[in-house]
Amino acid sequence: MIQSFSMSRISSRTGASAFPLAVSIWVSSYLAIDLIMWMGGRSTLVSNIVISLPMMATAPALTISLERLRRHVVRLGIGPTAAILVPAAILAAMVQGIVDYSSVRIGAALLFPEWADYVPTENRQFGFGIYVYALHFLCCLLALSLLHARQSVEIAIERQTEAVSAHRRAEAKALRLQLNPHFLFNALNSIAALVATGGNRVADAMICRLSDFLRASIVGDPESDVSLSSEIATAESYLAIEQLRYGNRLSAAFTVTPDAWDAAIPAFILQPLAENAVKHGLAAKGAAIRLTIDVRLTHDLVIIAVTNRRVSTAPVSDRVFTDGMGIGLGNVRDRVALFGADRAKLETESFQDGFCARLTIPYRRFPGAAGAAP
């Protein structure tokens, strides 16, 4: 079914452009002959063009008929196709020769007496004219075949581009919606515990934050960029939930330089970086961290650094810091690659008391951005 649809697209596109090409070939050929005859003093240019008009009409029609025949028999192979098209081209040449002969005789008899002296010459050249017309029809078929091949390649490229785009969209959406199930599980457990212990106000705040976060995770085009302010709002919703869970063990701060606020960044790209920092920074029992998200514009690059630093006195042996190869950071790397930013990269750095994930992406102004902090 897909192949039939592609063939119909090719046939439709070729049919739409084949007739103008055939008309341009034949009209330019006849006009060139008319000019040569006029410059040779045989007749006036007007009489030449008027007598050529019937031939200019029938030749493209015959060419299109031959092209339709070619599209039907081309599946038979080169040999059978040639065996059918060559006689068909000769037959079309004979029809065109008859039109040529009739047009000259009628024009000489009714409209342009100066053509009467050349009718006998046209009679003697009838056979040679058939030969020339047959070659002309075959050359036109070759031109239309090349046109058909070119448009087949264009449609194949379009289909490949559409397939790659669909794959990218599907993969980008899957990566963006790849929420850590433990986060949802822990958030819901925390809400249930708060309700059970009478912390309804905090539970209500956590439910609202969780609702905002989940809404931000599913709306919008997964392959499109978003404004920096929107992305920071999503990260703030996530961190607000985690702060309600961990209390004083987690503090967060955002720093954005004024010239970076109008930047466009991949949607839902900050949350996995923040989640990675929270997950591994608070892995040790009783650990507390300060998480900072710094965004700055350096030349034409947006640099986003998500850093977690230990502020508790948890034993060093209990601390857990990763090398940056976890699922969350791998997700970010894949998303950056999908968006095709040549200079985009994700770098990680481990400290004695923490970890930093640094994302670099080319700067592009988000449409409609005000260029200031919200």
Side-chain angles (χ1 to χ4, degrees), residues 232-255:
I232 286 182
T234 301
E236 285 178 335
S237 296
Y238 165 76
L239 290 174
I241 296 170
E242 297 292 49
Q243 285 177 313
L244 290 172
R245 284 184 58 211
Y246 291 107
N248 294 332
R249 295 178 60 194
L250 172 64
S251 61
F254 291 81
T255 303

Side-chain angles (χ1 to χ4, degrees), residues 49-213:
I49 294 176
V50 171
I51 290 179
S52 299
L53 289 178
M55 293 174 274
M56 292 181 184
T58 56
L62 290 171
T63 301
I64 296 302
S65 299
L66 289 173
E67 168 62 13
R68 290 177 179 173
L69 176 62
R70 185 198 65 80
R71 291 205 302 266
H72 281 90
V73 302
V74 71
R75 302 180 183 88
L76 301 177
I78 297 178
T81 300
I84 294 174
L85 288 181
V86 171
I90 294 174
L91 179 61
M94 294 177 64
V95 174
Q96 186 66 14
I98 293 173
V99 174
D100 189 340
Y101 175 79
S102 302
S103 180
V104 171
R105 289 184 63 87
I106 294 174
L110 300 179
L111 301 175
F112 306 107
E114 66 269 21
W115 274 84
D117 295 335
Y118 304 106
V119 171
T121 303
E122 298 292 335
N123 295 341
R124 290 194 299 269
Q125 295 179 348
F126 182 78
F128 179 74
I130 298 300
Y131 170 74
V132 173
Y133 277 132
L135 290 179
H136 206 152
F137 277 118
L138 290 174
C139 289
C140 288
L141 281 179
L142 177 60
L144 293 177
S145 298
L146 294 176
L147 174 66
H148 184 270
R150 175 186 174 182
Q151 292 175 339
S152 298
V153 172
E154 290 176 351
I155 290 179
I157 293 174
E158 289 177 4
R159 287 187 60 198
Q160 182 182 17
T161 302
E162 292 170 359
V164 170
S165 178
H167 174 73
R168 286 180 57 196
R169 290 174 62 84
E171 191 170 356
K173 185 174 182 180
L175 288 171
R176 196 187 74 168
L177 299 181
Q178 199 177 72
L179 296 178
N180 189 335
H182 290 92
F183 161 69
L184 296 177
F185 177 78
N186 292 332
L188 292 174
N189 271 351
S190 297
I191 293 173
L194 287 169
V195 172
T197 57
N200 293 339
R201 179 183 300 177
V202 179
D204 182 67
M206 184 176 266
I207 290 172
C208 292
R209 288 291 189 174
L210 182 60
S211 175
D212 293 338
F213 174 75

